């Protein structure tokens, strides 16, 4: 029970332009006890990050308005947001895309479609790394 209380205090911002993926991912994470915020593109995601300061960001790579790379660049330049763990999740599964995402400063890269266990493990690892830093 104590673990669920701790997890419920963790807020994850999900940034994804596909409405179905956005809603399904938010629902899955809420069922696991996380609190979620959602944004339909990087521009809205940037605004919500500055407003709510989430514990972790889960972000698609290719979106209108502002893509994931541009968003991550903005976040890394701001002292208030640069330490928020950031996970790309994208259908782009080529090694070059994954390397580009990690080289840009993402903590992890999860390919879609994803297994829930894989996503949860990535989230837990990123949150653990943040606590140790």
């Amino acid at each position: 029970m104590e673990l669920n209380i701790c997890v419920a205090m963790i807020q994850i911002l999900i940034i994804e332009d596909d409405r179905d993926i956005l809603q399904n991912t938010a629902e899955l994470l809420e069922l696991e006890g996380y609190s979620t915020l959602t944004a339909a593109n990087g521009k809205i995601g940037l605004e919500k990050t500055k407003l709510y300061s989430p514990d972790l960001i889960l972000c698609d790579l290719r979106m209108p308005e502002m893509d994931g790379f541009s968003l991550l660049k903005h976040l890394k330049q701001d002292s208030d947001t640069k330490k928020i763990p950031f996970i790309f999740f994208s259908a782009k599964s080529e090694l070059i895309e994954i390397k580009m995402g990690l080289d840009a400063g993402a903590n992890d890269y999860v390919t879609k479609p994803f297994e829930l266990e894989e996503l949860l493990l990535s989230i837990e690892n990123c949150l653990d790394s943040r606590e140790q830093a």
Side-chain angles (χ1 to χ4, degrees):
M1 189 73 167
E2 189 174 318
L3 179 62
N4 288 338
I5 292 169
C6 184
V7 169
M9 292 188 287
I10 302 293
Q11 186 174 64
I12 298 175
L13 173 58
I14 306 163
I15 307 169
E16 166 66 60
D17 62 325
D18 183 306
R19 179 181 288 255
D20 291 336
I21 294 172
L22 181 65
Q23 291 175 343
N24 290 340
T25 305
E27 186 176 322
L28 287 170
L29 292 177
E30 287 169 4
L31 288 171
E32 293 296 323
Y34 292 100
S35 170
T36 63
L37 294 167
T38 60
N41 62 54
K43 185 176 178 186
I44 297 168
L46 182 60
E47 293 167 4
K48 287 194 174 185
T49 299
K50 291 181 182 231
L51 189 59
Y52 297 104
S53 201
D55 297 294
L56 184 136
I57 297 170
L58 184 59
C59 183
D60 190 17
L61 201 55
R62 308 273 183 233
M63 299 174 289
E65 299 284 326
M66 180 186 291
D67 69 9
F69 286 122
S70 298
L71 171 63
L72 182 56
K73 183 178 179 181
H74 281 287
L75 295 175
K76 292 299 181 185
Q77 292 173 345
D78 185 330
S79 62
D80 292 333
T81 59
K82 69 181 180 182
K83 293 189 178 184
I84 297 173
F86 190 98
I87 301 170
F88 275 124
F89 79 132
S90 175
K92 298 282 187 187
S93 60
E94 296 84 23
L95 286 178
I96 188 69
E97 292 282 343
I98 296 169
K99 183 178 181 341
M100 286 173 55
L102 295 174
D103 286 349
N107 298 80
D108 204 354
Y109 192 111
V110 175
T111 57
K112 296 184 278 189
F114 58 85
E115 294 292 326
L116 179 59
E117 294 77 21
E118 177 189 10
L119 180 61
L120 293 174
L121 182 60
S122 177
I123 289 169
E124 290 169 19
N125 287 340
C126 287
L127 292 171
D128 286 347
S129 295
R130 181 194 64 173
E131 288 175 10
Q132 293 172 4

